[in-house]
Amino acid sequence: MPEPDLDFIASARQDMPCLVAEVRRLRALLRGDSDRRHAACVALRELGRSPDYRDRADAGRGLAAFADMQEALGPLLELVPDPGGTFVTRVTAEAVLRRMDRIGLTAIASAMAVANSNHSDWIHAATVDVFSIFSEDRDKAMQLCAEMLRDADDRVALGARQLHDILAEIDPVLRPA
């Protein structure tokens, strides 16, 4: 048997409990982060049910950071076309779009497909504000929307078409040299 194997076997009795303890410690840390993220998401969901539009707007901004969590998606989809006012729609849509990722664009596309014309106008304004600076950001968003046109969820595909059309109208200020 090779010497490194013999060394491992000889020290296993003392080293293995340390290794197992370290794995358990790291798992507890990861669980703790998950628990804290979940608790923050729950608190923001509750804030999103407030009768005060400022609370709902703050919840929308906060939940945008958690859009990758399933428990945040439903409340976000309710806050974007907020029945209590367009201010919440505007700030929530902008925060979600500033993620500049497929998760955010999918959430906005899904909300856009069911939004009334007033809310759609505010989603449109948020989209222009977010993507009118850098052409690379706008182009990446257009590419993601083009991919989302084939989404199995008809609502996402419909909203992606609307979002793609808005993005195509934007003439960004800064382009690569």
Side-chain angles (χ1 to χ4, degrees), residues 39-177:
C41 188
V42 168
L44 288 167
R45 282 189 347 223
E46 283 302 310
L47 190 62
R49 293 187 187 111
S50 171
D52 188 323
Y53 73 95
R54 293 168 296 194
D55 289 343
R56 293 192 314 278
D58 287 342
R61 283 187 198 105
L63 282 167
F66 296 93
D68 58 321
M69 295 175 63
Q70 190 61 38
E71 57 261 34
L73 197 54
L76 276 172
L77 293 176
E78 292 171 13
L79 289 168
V80 174
D82 185 60
T86 54
F87 177 75
V88 176
T89 295
R90 175 73 164 83
V91 299
T92 302
E94 185 173 336
V96 173
L97 289 166
R98 287 205 185 279
R99 292 178 56 93
M100 294 193 187
D101 62 5
R102 187 177 181 120
I103 292 168
L105 290 170
T106 300
I108 294 300
S110 186
M112 185 114 183
V114 297
N116 64 34
S117 62
N118 193 23
H119 286 90
S120 291
D121 288 345
W122 288 103
I123 296 169
H124 184 282
T127 305
V128 170
D129 282 354
V130 170
F131 293 103
S132 64
I133 304 297
F134 297 104
S135 63
E136 291 139 346
D137 293 340
R138 192 267 332 246
D139 295 346
K140 180 183 172 194
M142 287 182 69
Q143 179 184 357
L144 289 171
C145 285
E147 293 169 10
M148 291 163 37
L149 293 173
R150 297 181 293 279
D151 198 284
D153 184 336
D154 292 338
R155 198 165 87 172
V156 171
L158 173 63
R161 166 57 54 207
Q162 295 169 330
L163 201 50
H164 188 277
D165 292 347
I166 293 168
L167 291 164
E169 295 171 1
I170 297 172
D171 185 20
V173 175
L174 300 175
R175 300 178 185 284

Side-chain angles (χ1 to χ4, degrees), residues 21-31:
E22 180 64 8
V23 168
R24 286 184 178 146
R25 185 186 73 79
L26 292 172
R27 282 185 179 161
L29 280 174
L30 289 174
R31 216 176 20 255

Side-chain angles (χ1 to χ4, degrees), residues 28-41 69:
L29 280 174
L30 289 174
R31 216 176 20 255
D33 284 346
S34 177
D35 290 346
R36 284 190 289 275
R37 285 181 56 81
H38 177 74
C41 188
M69 295 175 63

